[in-house]
Amino acid sequence: MSALLEIIGVSKQYPVKQNMENSTIALRGVSLTVDAGQFIVINGPSGSGKSTLLHIISGIDSPTDGIVKFDGIPLSTLSEDCCTELRRRDIILIFQSFELIQSLTVYENVEYPLRLLKLSKKLRHQIITSVMKDLGIDGFSSRFPRELSGGQQQRVGICRALAVSPRLLVGDEITANLDSENANRVYNILKQLQKKEGMTVITVSHDETLTKYADKVITMRDGRIV
Amino acid sequence: MLFLAFRNIFRNKRRTFMTVLILGVSFTLLMLINSYVTTMYDILKKGSIEQTGHVQIQARDTGKDNPLIGVSDILMIEKSLAGNSKVYDIAKELDVSGLVGTDMRSTIFNAVGVEYAKKGAASSLTLVSGFNLTREDYDKESLLLSSEIAQKINVKEGHYVVLVVTNSDGVLNLSNGYINGLVSTGQTDRDLYFVSLPLKFAQTLLGTEGVSRMMIYLDDEKSIDSIIVQLKGLIEENNLNLIVKDWKELASYYFGLKNLYDFIFAFVFVIICVLVALSVSEIISIGLFERFREIGTMRAIGTKKNEVFVLLLLETLLYNISGIAFGVIFALIISSGTNMARITFVPPGQNAAVPFMFNLNITHTFLPVGLLLFVSFLSTIFPIIKTTKMRIVEVIRHV
């Protein structure tokens, strides 16, 4: 398997405003290679830099030092629009707090990234119907996010990500609000996508029971991989 | 994006209502003020032109009291303009002043000898009692006396008064005049001394066949320049001792009032713009603040910066369109209601009531409404730019 993602000596520092010398170091020289089709779970205590690493991998944040390459291309060499294009199709980030668009129904939320890809209405409908059925939310399509529970909203967020069939799915505690049955259901689907379509998954989870799905478990502490 | 923009403006109905209300009321105010002021300008301008003519010919001031246009000059001018399809009418007036009174009381007067049934000074008079003078009275020694003078010298319509003037030879002349009616000019100060009489009577009093001025009325204002050129050519060619004036040179009251109202309107406009800018900017900023995380998510899942910018701009556009629609409807309701109520008021310095009405012409409001729209957009553009420029990771971390 070829490396899909290469993280080489990545550090991230957040300067404290009044005093540039006393800055917060979230990542300290992290290096990681992720092959295409791998399923990686990252765990570690709070403040270990897991979310920061995910943000840098997905391109929504940039490292202070180091290089991140996706498919051999350093993300730092890409323009902002190119990074955005990457996040439309190839790298999808699922948030812990799901972050649905409140003005859109469940169906429209899942449809949103497919509209950005300019897919036909018919194709969009096919994809949405299939993915929503897999995650058991096809009964909610006309509801708005405020009418759903936290767990239901989280499944919609996951559905939105899976509808695009990205090459790399990056998730931050994506099952935190789900019961064990639904959490397993989600990970089973991810596993199936990994096998069928070669999707690469990097997810942060504190749930030890979910590590069984992973090809590799990485533990972080104090901004480093231990 | 338009669909999402439309949905977003309805997600907080109260905030949308307040924004549309602020914009709508502002647009309504601007439209109403603009239409009232424009209506007033039109009435004043029309009144001004009625008094002075579009073009006026006067005798050049040679240091003599009351310089007059001679008969031969009058005939030459009338002949020159005869058959000119642009000329609607030519009226002549003669100023006379002196004493008017009875054997018991007298007072000074400033009279205008006019050709009744033509436009001019007589057309703006309001008959208080008695009868107006008409074209048929052109050779009669009758007059219209202001109600103020009538009160002062204790006379009324049907009575006779004596007019004492100094004629063009410097000799005192007097004549009896029959009071056909009592009138008001609408201006309190003017009413203290005003008399109107037939031009022939005024000429008889002054012992002249000349006139103080000739007023030329045109079918279209656009012909003013060409008529002035024609008349100036005639004057120069024949070496006449006359001057030609555009109505604008004579309408000092109209332009004085217009300048004052333009200034007041501009001041009110600025205040409205500032209020709109502050209110709309604040409301939009609060809305954006609440949506930071959602906007960050949209960018994180592949929405480009400029697409977010367009979305937020579309929302602002929808607010403004709603505000304009509300403003137009509200302005129409208020203007129709006010016009139907036929409210009148007496302006300061005048004694005649004028109508308080709105001649709502949407085209007149394009400029002020367009400027307000621009201000509204400008006030929202900075919060929008600031939001779209924020780093995604900062925005999604926003609590």
Side-chain angles (χ1 to χ4, degrees):
Chain A
M1 281 191 268
S2 57
L4 179 68
L5 185 70
E6 290 175 78
I7 303 163
I8 306 163
V10 160
S11 297
K12 181 67 184 179
Q13 240 175 318
Y14 294 105
V16 173
K17 275 184 185 164
Q18 275 106 23
N19 190 345
M20 295 297 283
E21 288 172 356
N22 292 336
S23 50
T24 306
I25 302 172
L27 295 174
R28 299 169 194 266
V30 170
S31 293
L32 176 65
T33 301
V34 178
D35 293 326
Q38 269 195 306
F39 195 123
I40 293 176
V41 170
I42 303 174
N43 58 28
S46 181
S48 56
K50 305 185 297 295
S51 296
T52 306
L53 182 61
L54 293 188
H55 292 161
I56 288 172
I57 287 170
S58 60
I60 65 170
D61 198 1
S62 50
T64 315
D65 283 309
I67 301 170
V68 176
K69 288 186 189 176
F70 180 80
D71 215 8
I73 303 167
L75 294 183
S76 57
T77 63
L78 298 177
S79 66
E80 193 165 338
D81 277 357
C82 286
C83 275
T84 307
E85 294 272 0
L86 214 57
R87 287 196 302 275
R88 272 186 190 183
R89 179 182 282 284
D90 295 317
I91 307 175
I92 298 292
L93 177 62
I94 308 177
F95 300 90
Q96 182 176 358
S97 51
F98 28 93
E99 299 304 345
L100 303 179
I101 300 171
Q102 299 297 314
S103 322
L104 301 179
T105 61
V106 164
Y107 184 95
E108 288 161 350
N109 262 284
V110 177
E111 191 189 23
Y112 182 80
L114 300 177
R115 276 181 174 259
L116 291 176
L117 293 172
K118 296 188 181 11
L119 299 183
S120 69
K121 191 175 177 180
K122 192 179 172 188
L123 184 58
R124 293 199 307 260
H125 184 71
Q126 272 175 9
I127 295 169
I128 295 165
T129 315
S130 167
V131 167
M132 283 176 70
K133 199 174 172 188
D134 287 343
L135 279 165
I137 58 167
D138 43 328
F140 307 143
S141 48
S142 58
R143 290 198 202 169
F144 286 91
R146 61 180 178 269
E147 297 166 0
L148 305 177
S149 68
Q152 290 166 342
Q153 289 190 54
Q154 185 66 325
R155 280 192 277 159
V156 174
I158 295 166
C159 202
R160 181 176 66 189
L162 297 182
V164 177
S165 292
R167 292 174 65 192
L168 171 62
L169 188 133
V170 178
D172 191 353
E173 297 276 12
I174 59 176
T175 57
N177 294 305
L178 301 179
D179 53 57
S180 54
E181 186 191 337
N182 279 308
N184 279 302
R185 189 176 183 172
V186 167
Y187 273 92
N188 273 319
I189 292 169
L190 292 180
K191 209 62 190 169
Q192 281 168 30
L193 286 170
Q194 181 202 11
K195 285 177 182 158
K196 254 198 308 194
E197 293 172 26
M199 188 171 78
T200 310
V201 179
I202 301 175
T203 179
V204 163
S205 179
H206 286 115
D207 191 344
E208 293 290 327
T209 58
L210 296 176
T211 54
K212 66 178 184 252
Y213 295 96
D215 297 322
K216 194 174 176 181
V217 178
I218 292 168
T219 304
M220 289 189 70
R221 186 170 289 121
D222 296 328
R224 292 190 177 94
I225 294 175
V226 298
Chain B
M1 285 299 167
L2 181 62
F3 173 71
L4 185 54
F6 200 74
R7 281 277 186 90
N8 280 336
I9 67 168
F10 285 108
R11 65 195 271 169
N12 189 324
K13 293 185 179 68
R14 187 180 159 276
R15 186 178 302 140
T16 299
F17 175 74
M18 284 308 298
T19 309
V20 170
L21 186 67
I22 289 168
L23 289 167
V25 167
S26 304
F27 285 130
T28 301
L29 276 173
L30 279 184
M31 281 190 257
L32 288 177
I33 292 172
N34 186 266
S35 75
Y36 173 71
V37 164
T38 309
T39 305
M40 209 181 58
Y41 288 172
D42 286 344
I43 292 172
L44 283 172
K45 183 180 170 185
K46 195 176 159 193
S48 214
I49 291 174
E50 270 201 13
Q51 297 242 333
T52 64
H54 287 97
V55 177
Q56 193 174 104
I57 302 169
Q58 299 172 354
R60 199 181 292 277
D61 189 358
T62 53
K64 264 177 79 176
D65 285 338
N66 202 9
L68 300 177
I69 305 173
V71 172
S72 55
D73 294 349
I74 294 170
L75 290 171
M76 200 182 301
I77 289 163
E78 284 177 341
K79 190 179 170 189
S80 160
L81 294 175
N84 188 327
S85 57
K86 295 174 193 168
V87 176
Y88 171 75
D89 203 0
I90 302 173
K92 301 184 283 289
E93 286 185 354
L94 177 63
D95 295 327
V96 183
S97 54
L99 287 173
V100 60
T102 61
D103 51 352
M104 299 291 284
R105 289 176 197 172
S106 63
T107 186
I108 54 174
F109 75 89
N110 286 325
V112 183
V114 300
E115 295 173 298
Y116 293 102
K118 286 198 179 183
K119 293 192 185 196
S123 56
S124 60
L125 301 178
T126 307
L127 187 69
V128 174
S129 61
F131 300 95
N132 255 321
L133 289 169
T134 65
R135 194 186 306 201
E136 280 74 40
D137 301 313
Y138 79 99
D139 60 351
K140 288 192 182 145
E141 291 183 351
S142 301
L143 54 92
L144 298 172
L145 196 68
S146 76
S147 48
E148 289 289 330
I149 292 182
Q151 202 173 39
K152 209 184 276 186
I153 62 175
N154 197 22
V155 293
K156 58 180 185 181
E157 66 275 10
H159 289 185
Y160 280 88
V161 289
V162 178
L163 301 165
V164 182
V165 305
T166 305
N167 69 10
S168 52
D169 294 324
V171 177
L172 274 181
N173 192 9
L174 54 83
S175 177
N176 281 330
Y178 173 77
I179 302 171
N180 222 57
L182 301 185
V183 292
S184 171
T185 62
Q187 292 167 40
T188 314
D189 290 344
R190 206 167 163 222
D191 276 354
L192 292 173
Y193 310 108
F194 183 78
V195 174
S196 175
L197 23 104
L199 178 63
K200 197 153 186 253
F201 186 19
Q203 286 173 322
T204 306
L205 278 172
L206 286 182
T208 180
E209 286 181 13
V211 296
S212 300
R213 58 190 155 270
M214 293 176 75
M215 289 107 71
I216 295 145
Y217 296 91
L218 306 174
D219 274 333
D220 189 345
E221 255 184 78
K222 292 177 191 153
S223 313
I224 290 176
D225 289 338
S226 62
I227 294 294
I228 289 177
V229 165
Q230 182 186 338
L231 288 169
K232 280 185 173 173
L234 178 75
I235 289 167
E236 219 175 282
E237 209 179 288
N238 296 283
N239 207 20
L240 304 177
N241 214 18
L242 302 173
I243 48 174
V244 183
K245 290 187 176 180
D246 189 330
W247 74 273
K248 295 188 191 82
E249 297 174 71
L250 302 162
S252 53
Y253 176 73
Y254 165 75
F255 284 107
L257 202 67
K258 186 174 183 298
N259 288 342
L260 174 67
Y261 271 93
D262 281 348
F263 177 77
I264 292 170
F265 182 55
F267 185 69
V268 168
F269 176 71
V270 166
I271 291 175
I272 291 175
C273 282
V274 167
L275 289 174
V276 162
L278 290 174
S279 314
V280 170
S281 173
E282 182 66 12
I283 292 172
I284 298 294
S285 295
I286 291 170
L288 287 175
F289 189 75
E290 287 174 1
R291 290 165 58 194
F292 268 175
R293 288 177 68 108
E294 184 182 289
I295 290 168
T297 305
M298 286 173 67
R299 289 186 55 200
I301 61 172
T303 312
K304 291 180 185 172
K305 227 188 238 182
N306 63 346
E307 288 169 334
V308 173
F309 182 80
V310 165
L311 171 67
L312 299 176
L313 216 60
L314 280 172
E315 289 174 23
T316 303
L317 183 67
L318 287 171
Y319 280 128
N320 278 293
I321 289 172
S322 309
I324 289 174
F326 174 81
V328 167
I329 292 168
F330 208 44
L332 281 169
I333 292 171
I334 292 178
S335 62
S336 304
T338 310
N339 292 348
M340 279 197 300
R342 295 180 193 276
I343 300 168
T344 59
F345 71 103
V346 179
Q350 297 195 27
N351 49 27
V354 295
F356 182 72
M357 55 185 290
F358 301 100
N359 185 12
L360 198 67
N361 186 331
I362 301 295
T363 53
H364 286 154
T365 61
F366 279 169
L367 182 63
V369 166
L371 282 172
L372 188 62
L373 203 62
F374 174 72
V375 165
S376 169
F377 260 97
L378 209 62
S379 65
T380 55
I381 210 82
F382 296 109
I384 290 173
I385 289 173
K386 196 178 167 191
T387 304
T388 51
K389 276 195 163 175
M390 285 177 78
R391 291 171 59 230
I392 300 172
V393 69
E394 278 172 26
V395 178
I396 58 174
R397 277 187 186 145
H398 178 76
V399 176

